[in-house]
Amino acid sequence: FIIALSNSMIEITSALAVMGVVGYLGITPDPANPLSTFTSGFFTYPQALAEMPSPNFWSAIFFLTLWILGLTCVIALYEVTVTMIADTDWAKRWTGGRRWPI
């Protein structure tokens, strides 16, 4: 429950931040050229950061956020892979029937 609630709160906070930036830049919806996640993350948001006071600081924070996002995704994928291997019969044969200390 705590993980689901934390995830929802982060998603809501991120959505408010992105929509605030889109509103600040005055971007209006265009059916011919919709605003995608890639566009807002790598074109629109850096453009807004460049217009803010002390853009280098905010750009470094944005880069750090994207780096942490990538790191946590890698950890989650690695955890699933290790769990899958540890729960199979192959892992039990490979370790001689002992449980993995994870």
Side-chain angles (χ1 to χ4, degrees):
F1 177 73
I2 293 173
I3 294 173
L5 185 63
S6 300
N7 186 33
S8 297
M9 293 306 297
I10 287 185
E11 288 177 356
I12 290 170
T13 304
S14 300
L16 290 173
V18 169
M19 289 303 122
V21 166
V22 168
Y24 171 75
L25 291 175
I27 297 174
T28 57
D30 183 16
N33 190 13
L35 184 64
S36 66
T37 306
F38 182 80
T39 303
S40 65
F42 293 102
F43 294 117
T44 307
Y45 210 72
Q47 179 185 357
L49 292 175
E51 294 181 13
M52 293 176 80
S54 66
N56 291 338
F57 171 75
W58 295 111
S59 297
I61 296 294
F62 180 63
F63 173 76
L64 182 66
T65 303
L66 288 179
W67 186 79
I68 290 172
L69 174 71
L71 182 66
T72 56
C73 288
V74 167
I75 290 171
L77 290 173
Y78 182 71
E79 182 181 8
V80 168
T81 306
V82 168
T83 302
M84 180 188 70
I85 291 171
D87 290 346
T88 60
D89 290 333
W90 177 79
K92 291 176 186 170
R93 282 183 280 150
W94 187 60
T95 60
R98 298 183 317 257
R99 290 189 47 89
W100 286 24
I102 46 176

